[in-house]
Amino acid sequence: MALKVLFTGADGYVGALLGPYLLEKGIEAVGLDTGFYRKGWLYPTSAPRPAVITKDIRQVTVADLEGFDAVAHLAELSNDPLGQQSPGLTHEINHGGSMHLAEMARKAGARRFVYMSSCSVYGVGQPEQILDETSPVNPQTAYAECKVKVEEDLTRRADSDFEPCFLRNATAYGASPRQRFDIVLNDLCGLAWTTNKITLQSDGSPWRPLVHALDMCQAVWRSLTAPADAIRGQAYNVGSNDQNYRVIEIARIVADSFPGCELEVGQPSADNRSYRVNFDKIQRVLPEFQCEWTAEKGARQMRQVFERIAMTPEEFRAEPYTRLKMLMRLRASKLLDDKLFWANPMVEAVA
Ligand SMILES: NC(=O)c1ccc[n+]([C@@H]2O[C@H](COP(=O)([O-])OP(=O)(O)OC[C@H]3O[C@@H](n4cnc5c(N)ncnc54)[C@H](O)[C@@H]3O)[C@@H](O)[C@H]2O)c1
């Protein structure tokens, strides 16, 4: 019988790829998302997409989770600047909302809970240190603190009936119809395409491990289908050792992928987030996992998408593709209330 999976964050950057990916693997996937960024759909796709329930994770009930074998949980405020804007709200959604969802899943008998964590739990590494899953966590932001708390709280709940696991993803890149341009490689590709020039605000020395969004999808799928004993209560980094890049290398790769693009390097910056990560453990936990993408291939993919849709500077800078901009707009226009619930769900009735 096909595995039945509810995946949250279905209308996000990774979720828009994960739905078709899981369906293609024969999984009965249903999405759930409150729909903050639904206004953005960068390019047409033909892949079959799963049904999506419109709901906030803070409001899901046991009934919503009944009949599912597993949950893949992606729906959160998804980056550091968003989290720093409203740390309280970030804790309420990313920690509180995630624990509520997990509790509902556990009660409904959905055994497996695949949680999208992040390498940002490691915070700032020592210059030559390579962090692995045994390294102490050192979260620097509300976003990363919440990832750590969810991992800790869910680890305590793991037992023979509940199988949480924690995918500590590197920073994503690559094309998705629900594009994000607020992550490093995608942002640099957009700059290269629209201005033919990349100006780094720093000297580019910090390390950033990267992973393609489709390789993240592969890790989710393999985590959903792995034997319970391999993954229960385990945290593992998602990425590959050869994709630890310095920001300057990422910028060079992008500049080389966009003919005629200039690269200008800035001064050392105050942003001290820098980490190199070891990705050996995922090979032990999910032996079949293999990244299929590199930054070079991802930058070429981005260029091909821009060429196909003749992307304009307006599209590049449009609100939905920068998560913080979109949420600020929805709050300013009072479509979202201060707790990020839809304030006027009847808008279609009066339009
Ligand atoms: N993209 C990355 O670089 C990266 C790296 C590491 C980890 N992650 C994690 O992977 C997950 C997916 O990331 P993404 O880049 O696709 O983010 P995204 O912002 O594109 O998507 C998140 C989705 O969750 C939804 N959402 C947010 N709060 C919700 C709520 N309270 N109820 C219901 N839906 C809600 C949003 O509407 C959005 O569609 C996140 O948990 C993120 O922290 C992402």
Side-chain angles (χ1 to χ4, degrees), residues 132-313:
D132 69 15
E133 294 82 351
T134 62
S135 307
V137 293
N138 181 19
Q140 303 289 305
T141 59
Y143 169 78
E145 273 166 26
C146 290
K147 295 289 189 202
V148 171
K149 282 185 168 183
V150 174
E151 286 192 8
E152 287 173 355
D153 289 357
L154 285 181
T155 302
R156 281 194 287 276
R157 282 172 180 65
D159 60 23
S160 54
D161 294 322
F162 192 59
E163 303 155 359
C165 61
F166 315 110
L167 278 57
R168 293 183 176 169
N169 295 281
T171 298
Y173 63 88
S176 161
R178 299 254 190 240
Q179 194 59 50
R180 283 184 62 180
F181 286 123
D182 52 5
I183 38 185
V184 57
L185 185 140
N186 297 354
D187 181 34
L188 296 179
C189 287
L191 278 173
W193 174 256
T194 55
T195 67
N196 239 356
K197 183 166 183 183
I198 292 174
T199 308
L200 285 188
Q201 301 305 319
S202 75
D203 63 353
S205 59
W207 291 95
R208 285 284 184 289
L210 298 185
V211 63
H212 195 283
L214 281 170
D215 287 328
M216 289 165 81
C217 294
Q218 185 199 151
V220 171
W221 168 61
R222 293 197 186 282
S223 303
L224 286 167
T225 50
D229 289 342
I231 58 95
R232 187 190 293 105
Q234 295 292 321
Y236 35 99
N237 301 329
V238 177
S240 56
N241 291 333
D242 56 0
Q243 290 191 77
N244 279 296
Y245 298 99
R246 286 188 189 271
V247 173
I248 182 72
E249 289 175 72
I250 303 171
R252 279 199 197 106
I253 289 169
V254 172
D256 289 348
S257 309
F258 287 79
C261 178
E262 278 177 55
L263 171 60
E264 201 177 286
V265 180
Q267 298 301 313
S269 90
D271 182 356
N272 57 1
R273 288 173 310 151
S274 178
Y275 41 91
R276 274 162 97 184
V277 174
N278 175 289
F279 294 93
D280 290 345
K281 183 174 175 184
I282 191 167
Q283 287 327 134
R284 295 197 297 276
V285 178
L286 307 173
E288 316 265 319
F289 176 80
Q290 209 50 258
C291 283
E292 292 177 359
W293 290 80
T294 59
E296 285 85 352
K297 195 173 155 192
R300 277 200 304 277
Q301 180 201 32
M302 296 298 295
R303 199 192 72 219
Q304 283 160 6
V305 167
F306 301 160
E307 282 169 356
R308 246 178 68 207
I309 62 166
M311 188 177 77
T312 62

Side-chain angles (χ1 to χ4, degrees), residues 59-72:
Q59 296 178 323
V60 296
T61 62
V62 174
D64 292 320
L65 274 303
E66 255 154 22
F68 288 101
D69 302 301
V71 172

